[in-house]
Amino acid sequence: MVKNALGREVPKHIDGIGELKAFQGAFAYDPKGQKLAPKITKTFHGNDKIVDNIKKSLELCGIEDGMTISFHHHFRNGDYLVNMVIDEIAKMGIKDITVFASSLQSVHKPLINHIKNGVVTGIETSGLRGELGEAITRDKILDKPVIIRSHGGRPRAIESGESKIDIAFIAAPAADLYGNVNGVEGPTACGSMGYAMADAEYANKVVVVTDFMVPYPANPISIPQTLVDYVVKVDKIGDPKGIVSGATRVTKNPLELLIAERAFEAVVASGLVKEGFSFQAGTGGPSLAVAQFLREKMKTEGIKGSFVSGGITGHSVDMLKEGLFKTLLDVQCFDLKAVESIKSNPNHIEMSASFYANPHNKGCAANQLDIMIVSATEIDVDFNVNVITDSNGIIMGASGGHCDTAAGSKLSIVIAPLLRGRLPIVVDEVTTVVTPGETIDAVVTERGIAVNPRRKDLEALFKAAKLNVMSIQELKNIAEGLTGKPGKIQTTDEIVALVEYRDGTIIDTIRRVK
């Protein structure tokens, strides 16, 4: 074990994973080397890519023990494909599979049994939710730790060859017989296919699974035929209703609206809300409320922004239609209004996860962000942020694009209530660090705003605007004065997950909860 730059003890080596690099700072790691080259595969004239079923596609791809199978999560909790494919692999008697998913949801609970019976022995993902997250954290059902990556860190790992995908499965709302794919047609349209793009480009074999065949060539084309080996037609690949969650609506909670108003005032005071500015907000109700306040200001003052990025909601679509922003850069549609928009509006642009947030390509969209607003599970006095584990230490969230956009944006603001239930949100030390404090500029609560001491310029602007600025320690003291100091979560020494920073270094570990 070694202490990283945040003082967290992280392993130098894990059997079955290999050597690990400790986090040294948000911009400290300088990568070298070449990009991964996938194996050459071919389809000669006259050969067909259509196969009868998933089992046949697995056989043609040469499925065997120990392989890595990738998936994308554009259907979120409506995804059918992960369970379909892993069930088939289990029936074939294959073992020791690594599930390499852009995220996993409650609907993927059946993986618990596949872990227990040895079919799945590794998971690499951005997030884990529901009973799967609890079983991994509380019962340590996997011998090998889960690897948690951000949305930018995942394509970085794929392109660098750090993660090698044997077979990529792509849930395609529409596909033609030669494997051209888009997400905007058919009964299960999900919109952007951004997370699947790196998988298709770098996997040794690529299987498209669709429930809606279109005449050749599909139009538009999100993933082209040149990357696809086989096409499988099934009855249903997912439920688009599972894309939407209650968290993608503007909050009506008075406390959350108050916090959103404070955050809006801070954004305005920063001076960044001006002609051509760019913006990203999380999908939580308070973040969307900040966006709503911003929208009204832009209308009133005639301000036109450049782009909104990340996962796109109907709220962003409305702002595009109103001419408040020129462009939407979309890696994942978060509701059905966004799905319809990306199909019909040429200024609503699909982007890959690498384009969105990969720190080791030649320039990602996150680097062009002016303002980023996100929420948090916990923030500590060093401004480190936790969005992956609950207050009880159980994995219940996702790294997502949190650390990517915090690092890339000019202004990163975390919004949160000072208390959730009887638990303070500002603490001495977060349970799990996902986003390092050096990339967080301010924390906005209902009681006051704490500015990172690195941003003296911002603190001066906020004070000049008469905002209620206080230290992060003062916020913590207020919270603890109301609730008392929270007890420390009891864990064993067993590591159940490694949290990678976006550059591939280990920023923290998650340990088994007693």
Side-chain angles (χ1 to χ4, degrees), residues 403-480:
C403 67
D404 300 309
T405 50
S409 59
K410 290 178 183 170
L411 175 67
S412 60
I413 290 183
V414 171
I415 58 174
L418 204 55
L419 306 175
R420 280 203 180 94
R422 292 287 299 167
L423 291 172
I425 300 304
V426 181
V427 295
D428 283 320
E429 189 176 62
V430 290
T431 307
T432 311
V433 182
V434 171
T435 300
E438 67 179 287
T439 62
I440 298 297
D441 295 315
V443 174
V444 177
T445 72
E446 73 276 21
R447 293 295 187 106
I449 300 172
V451 181
N452 193 318
R454 293 168 178 265
R455 294 299 308 270
K456 296 294 184 191
D457 59 326
L458 200 60
E459 183 177 351
L461 289 170
F462 287 1
K463 286 183 173 176
K466 311 291 185 191
L467 302 185
N468 186 22
V469 176
M470 56 180 66
S471 72
I472 191 84
Q473 189 71 44
E474 286 175 306
L475 283 179
K476 184 185 83 81
N477 292 343
I478 292 171
E480 289 183 356

Side-chain angles (χ1 to χ4, degrees), residues 201-505:
E201 193 170 352
Y202 289 91
N204 285 329
K205 294 283 186 179
V206 177
V207 179
V208 163
V209 181
T210 187
D211 51 16
F212 189 69
M213 299 293 300
V214 296
Y216 180 89
N219 183 15
I221 297 174
S222 296
I223 292 172
Q225 64 191 43
T226 51
L227 302 176
V228 175
D229 294 275
Y230 303 109
V231 178
V232 180
K233 171 75 165 54
V234 297
D235 291 337
K236 205 78 172 171
I237 58 171
D239 179 2
K241 292 177 183 172
I243 298 172
V244 184
S245 78
T248 57
R249 300 185 185 96
V250 175
T251 183
K252 294 182 179 177
N253 179 300
L255 176 62
E256 292 181 339
L257 282 172
L258 176 63
I259 296 167
E261 190 173 356
R262 298 285 179 267
F264 166 70
E265 291 167 351
V267 167
V268 172
S270 75
L272 290 171
V273 182
K274 56 189 177 185
E275 196 71 15
F277 82 102
S278 57
F279 179 72
Q280 179 168 334
T283 58
S287 295
L288 293 178
V290 179
Q292 179 63 30
F293 289 129
L294 197 59
R295 180 180 180 180
E296 295 305 319
K297 177 179 176 64
M298 294 171 75
K299 283 182 180 177
T300 303
E301 300 185 10
I303 298 170
K304 308 290 184 187
S306 56
F307 71 91
V308 176
S309 72
I312 296 297
T313 64
H315 190 269
S316 300
V317 169
D318 290 340
M319 294 173 85
L320 177 69
K321 286 181 177 175
E322 292 164 354
L324 299 178
F325 284 95
K326 181 181 175 186
T327 305
L328 304 182
L329 294 176
D330 190 346
V331 70
Q332 176 183 21
C333 294
F334 272 117
D335 56 35
L336 301 184
K337 184 183 275 190
V339 173
E340 179 57 35
S341 169
I342 200 170
K343 178 180 180 180
S344 58
N345 192 329
N347 294 322
H348 186 160
I349 300 170
E350 187 175 26
M351 67 174 169
S352 72
S354 185
F355 186 105
Y356 168 40
N358 178 354
H360 294 168
N361 62 24
K362 296 181 181 179
C364 62
N367 293 346
Q368 292 296 311
L369 269 175
D370 288 317
I371 301 164
M372 184 278 284
I373 308 283
V374 288
S375 57
T377 308
E378 297 173 313
I379 307 109
D380 69 23
V381 292
D382 294 319
F383 288 82
N384 299 309
V385 180
N386 174 24
V387 287
I388 189 82
T389 47
D390 204 346
S391 54
N392 56 9
I394 300 294
I395 302 172
M396 57 81 209
S399 173
H402 200 286
C403 67
D404 300 309
T405 50
S409 59
K410 290 178 183 170
L411 175 67
S412 60
I413 290 183
V414 171
I415 58 174
L418 204 55
L419 306 175
R420 280 203 180 94
R422 292 287 299 167
L423 291 172
I425 300 304
V426 181
V427 295
D428 283 320
E429 189 176 62
V430 290
T431 307
T432 311
V433 182
V434 171
T435 300
E438 67 179 287
T439 62
I440 298 297
D441 295 315
V443 174
V444 177
T445 72
E446 73 276 21
R447 293 295 187 106
I449 300 172
V451 181
N452 193 318
R454 293 168 178 265
R455 294 299 308 270
K456 296 294 184 191
D457 59 326
L458 200 60
E459 183 177 351
L461 289 170
F462 287 1
K463 286 183 173 176
K466 311 291 185 191
L467 302 185
N468 186 22
V469 176
M470 56 180 66
S471 72
I472 191 84
Q473 189 71 44
E474 286 175 306
L475 283 179
K476 184 185 83 81
N477 292 343
I478 292 171
E480 289 183 356
L482 295 169
T483 66
K485 202 175 184 69
K488 196 169 177 62
I489 296 166
Q490 297 299 307
T491 63
T492 71
D493 289 335
E494 300 165 286
I495 297 172
V496 298
L498 299 167
V499 183
E500 280 192 2
Y501 188 56
R502 59 197 302 248
D503 63 5
T505 60

